[in-house]
């Protein structure tokens, strides 16, 4: 009996010990860098997840949009920020694309920046303006191939996730089109509706309201599964066998941030993503809440940087 009581006391003490080991954090509002404009897909994800993350701490999560330069401006600010967990960045697949594209950076993406958690995944969706007169992906591919150099496609910047998805799509389909980079999804979608662009591969998040209102037409998603927001939109792989691409979202921090703080943030993010309201909020935007540990997220990011270097080279894409 005495041994049993001792074991029970030790068991109940474990959570207290673990809690006591956690740092006093946060001590002030969190600065959440977003490398795109307000209203972009990454911005929407950040504003859904990060304020909910800080509710229990009674601290604000202040979004700081720093678009331009393929996210390098925001990344530089992050890399140079005090490594105390109070400056974070919510980014997407564009991060790996930019890191793979630009050879000379003011920071080292492996040495200076580290993963905190993956927070979501999303397909891109191929969208066109209704006045283009094309109703499905197969006809679109045929039309684009028949008019080399005459179709313009937009993205959220050179090296961004949408740029990479489109480059991979164009390369796989044999399409020769002109890339027009923008600072964010809203700007590119506006030019799509005006006719300056013929198509965009955009995060579902950014295009949801425009698709549902009929102002742009969705022809296909880049994943093998259909997006929850658009169950009638087929995978592009149906028209282009073998093609698949999945974007992601995640949280990064300066690499010298103490591991205790990184792990604390990661645990809180996991709990936040487990909330039904957060999952539904993300799902309403066409994405999926998906958690990944700091280690798993680092592995994903570093692996994609290597892969995207190969795709950029094959597609002839260079930083401007």
């Amino acid at each position: 009996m005495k041994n049993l009581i001792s074991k029970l006391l030790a068991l109940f003490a474990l959570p207290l010990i673990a809690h006591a080991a956690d740092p006093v954090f946060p001590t002030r509002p969190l600065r959440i860098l977003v490398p795109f404009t307000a209203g972009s897909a990454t911005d929407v994800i950040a504003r859904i997840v990060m304020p909910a993350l800080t509710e229990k701490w009674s601290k604000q999560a202040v979004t700081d949009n720093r678009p331009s330069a393929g996210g390098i401006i925001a990344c530089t600010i992050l890399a140079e920020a005090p490594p105390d967990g109070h400056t974070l960045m919510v980014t997407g697949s564009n991060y790996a694309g930019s890191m793979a594209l630009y050879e000379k950076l003011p920071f080292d993406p492996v040495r200076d920046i580290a993963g905190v958690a993956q927070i979501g995944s999303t397909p891109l969706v191929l969208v066109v303006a209704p006045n283009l007169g094309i109703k499905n992906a197969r006809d679109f591919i045929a039309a684009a191939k028949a008019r080399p150099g005459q179709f313009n496609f937009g993205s959220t910047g050179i090296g961004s996730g949408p740029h990479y998805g489109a480059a991979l799509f164009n390369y796989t389909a044999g399409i020769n089109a002109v890339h027009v980079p923008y600072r964010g999804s809203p700007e590119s979608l506006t030019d799509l509706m005006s006719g300056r662009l013929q198509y965009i591969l955009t995060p579902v998040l950014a295009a949801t309201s425009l698709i549902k209102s009929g102002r742009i037409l969705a022809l296909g998603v880049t994943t093998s599964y259909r997006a929850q927001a658009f169950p009638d939109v087929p995978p592009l792989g149906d028209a282009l066998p073998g093609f698949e691409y999945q974007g992601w979202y995640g949280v990064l921090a300066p690499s010298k941030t103490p591991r205790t703080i990184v792990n604390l943030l990661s645990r809180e993010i996991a709990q936040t993503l487990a909330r039904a309201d957060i999952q539904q909020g993300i799902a309403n935007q066409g994405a999926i809440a998906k958690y990944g540990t700091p280690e798993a997220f680092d592995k994903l990011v570093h692996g994609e940087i290597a892969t995207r270097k190969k795709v950029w080279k094959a597609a002839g894409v260079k930083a401007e």
Side-chain angles (χ1 to χ4, degrees), residues 94-129:
N94 61 286
Y95 176 76
S98 292
M99 299 308 101
L101 186 61
Y102 293 91
E103 296 182 0
K104 295 182 180 180
L105 295 167
F107 58 90
D108 186 308
V110 175
R111 184 191 63 215
D112 300 329
I113 296 176
V116 174
Q118 182 179 354
I119 59 176
S121 64
T122 182
L124 299 180
V125 58
L126 171 63
V127 292
V128 300

PDB file of all heavy atoms in Angstrom, residues 94-129:
ATOM      1  N   ASN A  94       5.112  29.489 -49.922  1.00  0.00           N
ATOM      2  CA  ASN A  94       5.956  30.495 -50.565  1.00  0.00           C
ATOM      3  C   ASN A  94       7.335  30.572 -49.930  1.00  0.00           C
ATOM      4  O   ASN A  94       8.326  30.893 -50.591  1.00  0.00           O
ATOM      5  CB  ASN A  94       5.293  31.868 -50.476  1.00  0.00           C
ATOM      6  CG  ASN A  94       5.097  32.306 -49.028  1.00  0.00           C
ATOM      7  OD1 ASN A  94       4.224  31.778 -48.343  1.00  0.00           O
ATOM      8  ND2 ASN A  94       5.888  33.238 -48.561  1.00  0.00           N
ATOM      9  N   TYR A  95       7.399  30.288 -48.652  1.00  0.00           N
ATOM     10  CA  TYR A  95       8.673  30.375 -47.934  1.00  0.00           C
ATOM     11  C   TYR A  95       9.715  29.444 -48.563  1.00  0.00           C
ATOM     12  O   TYR A  95      10.834  29.866 -48.871  1.00  0.00           O
ATOM     13  CB  TYR A  95       8.459  30.022 -46.463  1.00  0.00           C
ATOM     14  CG  TYR A  95       9.724  29.994 -45.648  1.00  0.00           C
ATOM     15  CD1 TYR A  95      10.339  31.176 -45.244  1.00  0.00           C
ATOM     16  CD2 TYR A  95      10.316  28.790 -45.289  1.00  0.00           C
ATOM     17  CE1 TYR A  95      11.512  31.161 -44.497  1.00  0.00           C
ATOM     18  CE2 TYR A  95      11.490  28.759 -44.542  1.00  0.00           C
ATOM     19  CZ  TYR A  95      12.077  29.942 -44.150  1.00  0.00           C
ATOM     20  OH  TYR A  95      13.238  29.916 -43.424  1.00  0.00           O
ATOM     21  N   ALA A  96       9.329  28.178 -48.756  1.00  0.00           N
ATOM     22  CA  ALA A  96      10.267  27.216 -49.351  1.00  0.00           C
ATOM     23  C   ALA A  96      10.634  27.632 -50.765  1.00  0.00           C
ATOM     24  O   ALA A  96      11.788  27.490 -51.190  1.00  0.00           O
ATOM     25  CB  ALA A  96       9.661  25.813 -49.346  1.00  0.00           C
ATOM     26  N   GLY A  97       9.663  28.164 -51.499  1.00  0.00           N
ATOM     27  CA  GLY A  97       9.929  28.586 -52.867  1.00  0.00           C
ATOM     28  C   GLY A  97      10.928  29.718 -52.947  1.00  0.00           C
ATOM     29  O   GLY A  97      11.845  29.711 -53.776  1.00  0.00           O
ATOM     30  N   SER A  98      10.762  30.713 -52.085  1.00  0.00           N
ATOM     31  CA  SER A  98      11.686  31.849 -52.084  1.00  0.00           C
ATOM     32  C   SER A  98      13.075  31.430 -51.644  1.00  0.00           C
ATOM     33  O   SER A  98      14.080  31.866 -52.208  1.00  0.00           O
ATOM     34  CB  SER A  98      11.152  32.951 -51.157  1.00  0.00           C
ATOM     35  OG  SER A  98       9.975  33.521 -51.683  1.00  0.00           O
ATOM     36  N   MET A  99      13.134  30.597 -50.612  1.00  0.00           N
ATOM     37  CA  MET A  99      14.437  30.160 -50.116  1.00  0.00           C
ATOM     38  C   MET A  99      15.193  29.349 -51.173  1.00  0.00           C
ATOM     39  O   MET A  99      16.422  29.360 -51.227  1.00  0.00           O
ATOM     40  CB  MET A  99      14.280  29.323 -48.846  1.00  0.00           C
ATOM     41  CG  MET A  99      13.632  30.044 -47.675  1.00  0.00           C
ATOM     42  SD  MET A  99      14.394  31.643 -47.244  1.00  0.00           S
ATOM     43  CE  MET A  99      13.246  32.817 -48.011  1.00  0.00           C
ATOM     44  N   ALA A 100      14.436  28.648 -52.024  1.00  0.00           N
ATOM     45  CA  ALA A 100      15.052  27.855 -53.079  1.00  0.00           C
ATOM     46  C   ALA A 100      15.458  28.707 -54.275  1.00  0.00           C
ATOM     47  O   ALA A 100      16.373  28.365 -55.014  1.00  0.00           O
ATOM     48  CB  ALA A 100      14.088  26.762 -53.540  1.00  0.00           C
ATOM     49  N   LEU A 101      14.780  29.835 -54.446  1.00  0.00           N
ATOM     50  CA  LEU A 101      14.979  30.645 -55.638  1.00  0.00           C
ATOM     51  C   LEU A 101      16.111  31.659 -55.496  1.00  0.00           C
ATOM     52  O   LEU A 101      16.911  31.849 -56.410  1.00  0.00           O
ATOM     53  CB  LEU A 101      13.676  31.375 -55.981  1.00  0.00           C
ATOM     54  CG  LEU A 101      13.649  32.178 -57.283  1.00  0.00           C
ATOM     55  CD1 LEU A 101      13.883  31.270 -58.482  1.00  0.00           C
ATOM     56  CD2 LEU A 101      12.312  32.902 -57.412  1.00  0.00           C
ATOM     57  N   TYR A 102      16.172  32.297 -54.337  1.00  0.00           N
ATOM     58  CA  TYR A 102      17.154  33.357 -54.140  1.00  0.00           C
ATOM     59  C   TYR A 102      18.457  32.788 -53.579  1.00  0.00           C
ATOM     60  O   TYR A 102      18.461  32.172 -52.515  1.00  0.00           O
ATOM     61  CB  TYR A 102      16.600  34.431 -53.204  1.00  0.00           C
ATOM     62  CG  TYR A 102      15.443  35.195 -53.801  1.00  0.00           C
ATOM     63  CD1 TYR A 102      14.132  34.761 -53.602  1.00  0.00           C
ATOM     64  CD2 TYR A 102      15.658  36.325 -54.578  1.00  0.00           C
ATOM     65  CE1 TYR A 102      13.063  35.459 -54.164  1.00  0.00           C
ATOM     66  CE2 TYR A 102      14.601  37.027 -55.138  1.00  0.00           C
ATOM     67  CZ  TYR A 102      13.304  36.583 -54.924  1.00  0.00           C
ATOM     68  OH  TYR A 102      12.258  37.265 -55.481  1.00  0.00           O
ATOM     69  N   GLU A 103      19.550  33.016 -54.307  1.00  0.00           N
ATOM     70  CA  GLU A 103      20.845  32.463 -53.902  1.00  0.00           C
ATOM     71  C   GLU A 103      21.513  33.296 -52.811  1.00  0.00           C
ATOM     72  O   GLU A 103      22.175  32.760 -51.926  1.00  0.00           O
ATOM     73  CB  GLU A 103      21.765  32.356 -55.113  1.00  0.00           C
ATOM     74  CG  GLU A 103      21.264  31.373 -56.173  1.00  0.00           C
ATOM     75  CD  GLU A 103      22.217  31.259 -57.335  1.00  0.00           C
ATOM     76  OE1 GLU A 103      23.265  31.949 -57.305  1.00  0.00           O
ATOM     77  OE2 GLU A 103      21.940  30.489 -58.264  1.00  0.00           O
ATOM     78  N   LYS A 104      21.326  34.605 -52.854  1.00  0.00           N
ATOM     79  CA  LYS A 104      21.941  35.484 -51.866  1.00  0.00           C
ATOM     80  C   LYS A 104      20.856  36.084 -50.980  1.00  0.00           C
ATOM     81  O   LYS A 104      20.040  36.890 -51.430  1.00  0.00           O
ATOM     82  CB  LYS A 104      22.743  36.593 -52.557  1.00  0.00           C
ATOM     83  CG  LYS A 104      23.938  36.072 -53.353  1.00  0.00           C
ATOM     84  CD  LYS A 104      24.733  37.207 -53.982  1.00  0.00           C
ATOM     85  CE  LYS A 104      25.930  36.672 -54.764  1.00  0.00           C
ATOM     86  NZ  LYS A 104      26.716  37.782 -55.387  1.00  0.00           N
ATOM     87  N   LEU A 105      20.850  35.676 -49.721  1.00  0.00           N
ATOM     88  CA  LEU A 105      19.865  36.139 -48.762  1.00  0.00           C
ATOM     89  C   LEU A 105      20.578  36.787 -47.569  1.00  0.00           C
ATOM     90  O   LEU A 105      21.706  36.417 -47.242  1.00  0.00           O
ATOM     91  CB  LEU A 105      19.020  34.972 -48.254  1.00  0.00           C
ATOM     92  CG  LEU A 105      18.119  34.278 -49.289  1.00  0.00           C
ATOM     93  CD1 LEU A 105      17.602  32.953 -48.734  1.00  0.00           C
ATOM     94  CD2 LEU A 105      16.956  35.182 -49.677  1.00  0.00           C
ATOM     95  N   PRO A 106      19.927  37.739 -46.902  1.00  0.00           N
ATOM     96  CA  PRO A 106      20.545  38.373 -45.728  1.00  0.00           C
ATOM     97  C   PRO A 106      20.468  37.507 -44.477  1.00  0.00           C
ATOM     98  O   PRO A 106      20.781  37.968 -43.391  1.00  0.00           O
ATOM     99  CB  PRO A 106      19.718  39.656 -45.564  1.00  0.00           C
ATOM    100  CG  PRO A 106      18.407  39.340 -46.178  1.00  0.00           C
ATOM    101  CD  PRO A 106      18.686  38.402 -47.315  1.00  0.00           C
ATOM    102  N   PHE A 107      20.063  36.284 -44.637  1.00  0.00           N
ATOM    103  CA  PHE A 107      19.963  35.339 -43.525  1.00  0.00           C
ATOM    104  C   PHE A 107      20.078  33.931 -44.092  1.00  0.00           C
ATOM    105  O   PHE A 107      19.978  33.725 -45.308  1.00  0.00           O
ATOM    106  CB  PHE A 107      18.621  35.493 -42.793  1.00  0.00           C
ATOM    107  CG  PHE A 107      17.435  35.293 -43.698  1.00  0.00           C
ATOM    108  CD1 PHE A 107      16.876  34.033 -43.880  1.00  0.00           C
ATOM    109  CD2 PHE A 107      16.884  36.359 -44.401  1.00  0.00           C
ATOM    110  CE1 PHE A 107      15.809  33.842 -44.739  1.00  0.00           C
ATOM    111  CE2 PHE A 107      15.813  36.177 -45.267  1.00  0.00           C
ATOM    112  CZ  PHE A 107      15.277  34.914 -45.433  1.00  0.00           C
ATOM    113  N   ASP A 108      20.303  32.960 -43.223  1.00  0.00           N
ATOM    114  CA  ASP A 108      20.349  31.560 -43.632  1.00  0.00           C
ATOM    115  C   ASP A 108      19.055  30.896 -43.176  1.00  0.00           C
ATOM    116  O   ASP A 108      18.776  30.843 -41.974  1.00  0.00           O
ATOM    117  CB  ASP A 108      21.539  30.869 -42.977  1.00  0.00           C
ATOM    118  CG  ASP A 108      21.741  29.442 -43.481  1.00  0.00           C
ATOM    119  OD1 ASP A 108      20.761  28.671 -43.457  1.00  0.00           O
ATOM    120  OD2 ASP A 108      22.864  29.101 -43.877  1.00  0.00           O
ATOM    121  N   PRO A 109      18.228  30.401 -44.105  1.00  0.00           N
ATOM    122  CA  PRO A 109      16.926  29.846 -43.725  1.00  0.00           C
ATOM    123  C   PRO A 109      16.999  28.614 -42.839  1.00  0.00           C
ATOM    124  O   PRO A 109      16.036  28.310 -42.130  1.00  0.00           O
ATOM    125  CB  PRO A 109      16.278  29.511 -45.078  1.00  0.00           C
ATOM    126  CG  PRO A 109      17.414  29.370 -46.025  1.00  0.00           C
ATOM    127  CD  PRO A 109      18.448  30.339 -45.564  1.00  0.00           C
ATOM    128  N   VAL A 110      18.126  27.919 -42.852  1.00  0.00           N
ATOM    129  CA  VAL A 110      18.286  26.747 -41.992  1.00  0.00           C
ATOM    130  C   VAL A 110      18.919  27.136 -40.659  1.00  0.00           C
ATOM    131  O   VAL A 110      18.480  26.700 -39.588  1.00  0.00           O
ATOM    132  CB  VAL A 110      19.129  25.664 -42.686  1.00  0.00           C
ATOM    133  CG1 VAL A 110      19.404  24.500 -41.742  1.00  0.00           C
ATOM    134  CG2 VAL A 110      18.420  25.174 -43.947  1.00  0.00           C
ATOM    135  N   ARG A 111      19.905  27.998 -40.712  1.00  0.00           N
ATOM    136  CA  ARG A 111      20.636  28.375 -39.493  1.00  0.00           C
ATOM    137  C   ARG A 111      19.882  29.396 -38.642  1.00  0.00           C
ATOM    138  O   ARG A 111      19.924  29.343 -37.408  1.00  0.00           O
ATOM    139  CB  ARG A 111      21.989  28.958 -39.882  1.00  0.00           C
ATOM    140  CG  ARG A 111      22.900  29.307 -38.700  1.00  0.00           C
ATOM    141  CD  ARG A 111      24.092  30.121 -39.170  1.00  0.00           C
ATOM    142  NE  ARG A 111      23.662  31.410 -39.729  1.00  0.00           N
ATOM    143  CZ  ARG A 111      24.251  32.009 -40.754  1.00  0.00           C
ATOM    144  NH1 ARG A 111      25.280  31.451 -41.371  1.00  0.00           N
ATOM    145  NH2 ARG A 111      23.810  33.186 -41.194  1.00  0.00           N
ATOM    146  N   ASP A 112      19.175  30.346 -39.290  1.00  0.00           N
ATOM    147  CA  ASP A 112      18.610  31.489 -38.568  1.00  0.00           C
ATOM    148  C   ASP A 112      17.116  31.395 -38.272  1.00  0.00           C
ATOM    149  O   ASP A 112      16.608  32.166 -37.446  1.00  0.00           O
ATOM    150  CB  ASP A 112      18.867  32.776 -39.357  1.00  0.00           C
ATOM    151  CG  ASP A 112      20.358  33.044 -39.555  1.00  0.00           C
ATOM    152  OD1 ASP A 112      21.137  32.653 -38.670  1.00  0.00           O
ATOM    153  OD2 ASP A 112      20.722  33.624 -40.595  1.00  0.00           O
ATOM    154  N   ILE A 113      16.399  30.504 -38.960  1.00  0.00           N
ATOM    155  CA  ILE A 113      14.943  30.402 -38.792  1.00  0.00           C
ATOM    156  C   ILE A 113      14.569  28.949 -38.558  1.00  0.00           C
ATOM    157  O   ILE A 113      15.114  28.048 -39.211  1.00  0.00           O
ATOM    158  CB  ILE A 113      14.214  30.957 -40.033  1.00  0.00           C
ATOM    159  CG1 ILE A 113      14.509  32.459 -40.184  1.00  0.00           C
ATOM    160  CG2 ILE A 113      12.712  30.726 -39.933  1.00  0.00           C
ATOM    161  CD1 ILE A 113      13.913  33.080 -41.433  1.00  0.00           C
ATOM    162  N   ALA A 114      13.646  28.729 -37.640  1.00  0.00           N
ATOM    163  CA  ALA A 114      13.261  27.355 -37.290  1.00  0.00           C
ATOM    164  C   ALA A 114      11.741  27.224 -37.202  1.00  0.00           C
ATOM    165  O   ALA A 114      11.026  28.192 -36.935  1.00  0.00           O
ATOM    166  CB  ALA A 114      13.894  26.947 -35.959  1.00  0.00           C
ATOM    167  N   GLY A 115      11.274  26.020 -37.414  1.00  0.00           N
ATOM    168  CA  GLY A 115       9.856  25.748 -37.360  1.00  0.00           C
ATOM    169  C   GLY A 115       9.331  25.683 -35.936  1.00  0.00           C
ATOM    170  O   GLY A 115      10.010  25.202 -35.027  1.00  0.00           O
ATOM    171  N   VAL A 116       8.099  26.166 -35.755  1.00  0.00           N
ATOM    172  CA  VAL A 116       7.375  26.023 -34.488  1.00  0.00           C
ATOM    173  C   VAL A 116       6.272  24.976 -34.652  1.00  0.00           C
ATOM    174  O   VAL A 116       6.140  24.078 -33.837  1.00  0.00           O
ATOM    175  CB  VAL A 116       6.765  27.367 -34.043  1.00  0.00           C
ATOM    176  CG1 VAL A 116       5.895  27.183 -32.792  1.00  0.00           C
ATOM    177  CG2 VAL A 116       7.865  28.390 -33.786  1.00  0.00           C
ATOM    178  N   ALA A 117       5.517  25.080 -35.736  1.00  0.00           N
ATOM    179  CA  ALA A 117       4.461  24.104 -36.001  1.00  0.00           C
ATOM    180  C   ALA A 117       3.868  24.318 -37.388  1.00  0.00           C
ATOM    181  O   ALA A 117       3.776  25.456 -37.857  1.00  0.00           O
ATOM    182  CB  ALA A 117       3.346  24.211 -34.963  1.00  0.00           C
ATOM    183  N   GLN A 118       3.484  23.243 -38.024  1.00  0.00           N
ATOM    184  CA  GLN A 118       2.620  23.353 -39.204  1.00  0.00           C
ATOM    185  C   GLN A 118       1.212  23.560 -38.686  1.00  0.00           C
ATOM    186  O   GLN A 118       0.804  22.954 -37.684  1.00  0.00           O
ATOM    187  CB  GLN A 118       2.674  22.094 -40.063  1.00  0.00           C
ATOM    188  CG  GLN A 118       1.805  22.207 -41.324  1.00  0.00           C
ATOM    189  CD  GLN A 118       1.856  20.960 -42.204  1.00  0.00           C
ATOM    190  OE1 GLN A 118       2.615  20.039 -41.944  1.00  0.00           O
ATOM    191  NE2 GLN A 118       1.018  20.923 -43.228  1.00  0.00           N
ATOM    192  N   ILE A 119       0.433  24.419 -39.352  1.00  0.00           N
ATOM    193  CA  ILE A 119      -0.918  24.691 -38.873  1.00  0.00           C
ATOM    194  C   ILE A 119      -2.006  24.367 -39.895  1.00  0.00           C
ATOM    195  O   ILE A 119      -3.186  24.389 -39.557  1.00  0.00           O
ATOM    196  CB  ILE A 119      -1.068  26.145 -38.412  1.00  0.00           C
ATOM    197  CG1 ILE A 119      -0.763  27.114 -39.554  1.00  0.00           C
ATOM    198  CG2 ILE A 119      -0.174  26.411 -37.205  1.00  0.00           C
ATOM    199  CD1 ILE A 119      -0.978  28.581 -39.190  1.00  0.00           C
ATOM    200  N   GLY A 120      -1.622  24.081 -41.122  1.00  0.00           N
ATOM    201  CA  GLY A 120      -2.662  23.783 -42.096  1.00  0.00           C
ATOM    202  C   GLY A 120      -2.106  23.328 -43.420  1.00  0.00           C
ATOM    203  O   GLY A 120      -0.902  23.404 -43.672  1.00  0.00           O
ATOM    204  N   SER A 121      -2.994  22.833 -44.249  1.00  0.00           N
ATOM    205  CA  SER A 121      -2.639  22.467 -45.618  1.00  0.00           C
ATOM    206  C   SER A 121      -3.799  22.855 -46.519  1.00  0.00           C
ATOM    207  O   SER A 121      -4.948  22.972 -46.068  1.00  0.00           O
ATOM    208  CB  SER A 121      -2.348  20.967 -45.748  1.00  0.00           C
ATOM    209  OG  SER A 121      -3.511  20.216 -45.460  1.00  0.00           O
ATOM    210  N   THR A 122      -3.491  23.054 -47.768  1.00  0.00           N
ATOM    211  CA  THR A 122      -4.533  23.494 -48.693  1.00  0.00           C
ATOM    212  C   THR A 122      -4.137  23.179 -50.133  1.00  0.00           C
ATOM    213  O   THR A 122      -2.958  23.227 -50.478  1.00  0.00           O
ATOM    214  CB  THR A 122      -4.785  25.010 -48.579  1.00  0.00           C
ATOM    215  OG1 THR A 122      -5.841  25.406 -49.474  1.00  0.00           O
ATOM    216  CG2 THR A 122      -3.552  25.805 -48.912  1.00  0.00           C
ATOM    217  N   PRO A 123      -5.110  22.844 -50.940  1.00  0.00           N
ATOM    218  CA  PRO A 123      -4.808  22.759 -52.371  1.00  0.00           C
ATOM    219  C   PRO A 123      -4.775  24.152 -52.967  1.00  0.00           C
ATOM    220  O   PRO A 123      -5.263  25.104 -52.357  1.00  0.00           O
ATOM    221  CB  PRO A 123      -6.001  21.964 -52.919  1.00  0.00           C
ATOM    222  CG  PRO A 123      -7.130  22.315 -52.013  1.00  0.00           C
ATOM    223  CD  PRO A 123      -6.502  22.492 -50.647  1.00  0.00           C
ATOM    224  N   LEU A 124      -4.180  24.285 -54.114  1.00  0.00           N
ATOM    225  CA  LEU A 124      -4.397  25.462 -54.935  1.00  0.00           C
ATOM    226  C   LEU A 124      -5.552  25.142 -55.868  1.00  0.00           C
ATOM    227  O   LEU A 124      -5.859  23.969 -56.115  1.00  0.00           O
ATOM    228  CB  LEU A 124      -3.148  25.799 -55.749  1.00  0.00           C
ATOM    229  CG  LEU A 124      -1.870  26.134 -54.975  1.00  0.00           C
ATOM    230  CD1 LEU A 124      -0.729  26.451 -55.936  1.00  0.00           C
ATOM    231  CD2 LEU A 124      -2.084  27.271 -54.013  1.00  0.00           C
ATOM    232  N   VAL A 125      -6.179  26.174 -56.369  1.00  0.00           N
ATOM    233  CA  VAL A 125      -7.277  25.972 -57.315  1.00  0.00           C
ATOM    234  C   VAL A 125      -6.997  26.781 -58.571  1.00  0.00           C
ATOM    235  O   VAL A 125      -6.579  27.938 -58.498  1.00  0.00           O
ATOM    236  CB  VAL A 125      -8.639  26.362 -56.681  1.00  0.00           C
ATOM    237  CG1 VAL A 125      -8.639  27.803 -56.205  1.00  0.00           C
ATOM    238  CG2 VAL A 125      -9.786  26.127 -57.672  1.00  0.00           C
ATOM    239  N   LEU A 126      -7.147  26.149 -59.724  1.00  0.00           N
ATOM    240  CA  LEU A 126      -6.977  26.825 -61.009  1.00  0.00           C
ATOM    241  C   LEU A 126      -8.245  27.626 -61.291  1.00  0.00           C
ATOM    242  O   LEU A 126      -9.335  27.065 -61.400  1.00  0.00           O
ATOM    243  CB  LEU A 126      -6.748  25.801 -62.123  1.00  0.00           C
ATOM    244  CG  LEU A 126      -6.764  26.334 -63.560  1.00  0.00           C
ATOM    245  CD1 LEU A 126      -5.632  27.323 -63.802  1.00  0.00           C
ATOM    246  CD2 LEU A 126      -6.679  25.178 -64.566  1.00  0.00           C
ATOM    247  N   VAL A 127      -8.097  28.953 -61.378  1.00  0.00           N
ATOM    248  CA  VAL A 127      -9.253  29.819 -61.611  1.00  0.00           C
ATOM    249  C   VAL A 127      -9.028  30.663 -62.856  1.00  0.00           C
ATOM    250  O   VAL A 127      -7.905  31.061 -63.173  1.00  0.00           O
ATOM    251  CB  VAL A 127      -9.531  30.732 -60.399  1.00  0.00           C
ATOM    252  CG1 VAL A 127     -10.014  29.919 -59.212  1.00  0.00           C
ATOM    253  CG2 VAL A 127      -8.308  31.546 -60.012  1.00  0.00           C
ATOM    254  N   VAL A 128     -10.125  30.932 -63.554  1.00  0.00           N
ATOM    255  CA  VAL A 128     -10.108  31.774 -64.748  1.00  0.00           C
ATOM    256  C   VAL A 128     -11.297  32.726 -64.666  1.00  0.00           C
ATOM    257  O   VAL A 128     -12.224  32.512 -63.885  1.00  0.00           O
ATOM    258  CB  VAL A 128     -10.196  30.942 -66.052  1.00  0.00           C
ATOM    259  CG1 VAL A 128      -9.024  29.986 -66.164  1.00  0.00           C
ATOM    260  CG2 VAL A 128     -11.524  30.187 -66.117  1.00  0.00           C
ATOM    261  N   ALA A 129     -11.257  33.767 -65.480  1.00  0.00           N
ATOM    262  CA  ALA A 129     -12.403  34.672 -65.566  1.00  0.00           C
ATOM    263  C   ALA A 129     -13.492  34.020 -66.418  1.00  0.00           C
ATOM    264  O   ALA A 129     -13.185  33.366 -67.425  1.00  0.00           O
ATOM    265  CB  ALA A 129     -11.986  36.001 -66.173  1.00  0.00           C
TER     266      ALA A 129
END
